[in-house]
């Protein structure tokens, strides 16, 4: 009889531990189910949000030639608010006013116009866009 009571007591203790573990697991299962439901709601909400359209793309910036002469040329029209001729730019850059020099500057100015960096409002007059 004593043996039966000892065995019954041990089994009651084990059953109590298992019931306690089951209660803990059931609570954890409820937490996981709630989290899963929150994720489902979030996914459903995100699927109803309209996707953003393509961002307004800025026009590509004109590619600047690498040669330093272009940088010097571009600083000259920036100093004035009026269009300049190739000869005026030669004078501003302290270059000799020779046909060879003037034509070299003019060809560089035309390249800058072709790339959209400068404009030529009239033949031979070069300026920054917007001036």
């Amino acid at each position: 009889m004593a043996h039966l009571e000892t065995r019954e007591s041990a089994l009651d203790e084990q059953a109590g531990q298992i019931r306690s573990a089951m209660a803990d697991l059931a609570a954890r299962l409820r937490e996981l189910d709630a989290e899963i439901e929150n994720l489902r709601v979030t996914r459903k909400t995100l699927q109803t949000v309209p996707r953003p359209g393509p961002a307004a793309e800025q026009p590509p910036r004109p590619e600047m030639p690498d040669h330093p002469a272009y940088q010097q040329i571009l600083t000259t029209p920036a100093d004035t608010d009026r269009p300049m001729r190739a000869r005026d730019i030669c004078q501003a850059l302290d270059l000799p006013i020779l046909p060879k020099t003037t034509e070299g500057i003019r060809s560089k100015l035309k390249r800058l116009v072709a790339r959209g960096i400068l404009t030529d409002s009239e033949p031979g007059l070069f300026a920054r866009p917007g001036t």
Side-chain angles (χ1 to χ4, degrees):
M1 252 348 220
H3 176 65
L4 288 176
E5 286 180 19
T6 306
R7 177 77 178 137
E8 183 182 356
S9 167
L11 290 175
D12 274 345
E13 186 177 326
Q14 283 181 354
Q17 289 174 353
I18 291 174
R19 282 187 191 96
S20 175
M22 285 175 54
D24 290 344
L25 288 173
R28 179 69 181 135
L29 183 60
R30 283 189 299 274
E31 290 172 4
L32 290 173
D33 284 340
E35 190 172 341
I36 288 170
E37 185 59 28
N38 287 341
L39 290 173
R40 285 182 182 145
V41 169
T42 301
R43 182 181 338 109
K44 199 176 214 181
T45 303
L46 288 175
Q47 287 174 342
T48 62
V49 173
R51 293 184 186 261
E57 293 183 26
Q58 295 181 358
R61 296 182 74 186
E63 188 176 322
M64 178 66 70
D66 291 335
H67 197 275
Y70 290 97
Q71 295 296 328
Q72 292 173 335
I73 290 171
L74 287 175
T75 58
T76 305
D79 296 340
T80 64
D81 292 338
R82 61 179 177 79
M84 297 180 75
R85 296 196 177 279
R87 181 182 177 100
D88 299 332
I89 293 176
C90 286
Q91 286 176 338
L93 295 175
D94 291 328
L95 296 173
I97 310 298
L98 299 172
K100 175 178 141 182
T101 309
T102 307
E103 287 306 314
I105 293 293
R106 184 174 290 114
S107 70
K108 286 178 178 56
L109 290 167
K110 287 184 179 184
R111 272 190 216 115
L112 292 172
V113 168
R115 291 181 182 215
I117 298 169
L118 292 180
T119 61
D120 54 346
S121 55
E122 293 179 25
L125 286 176
F126 301 93
R128 289 209 179 250
T131 56

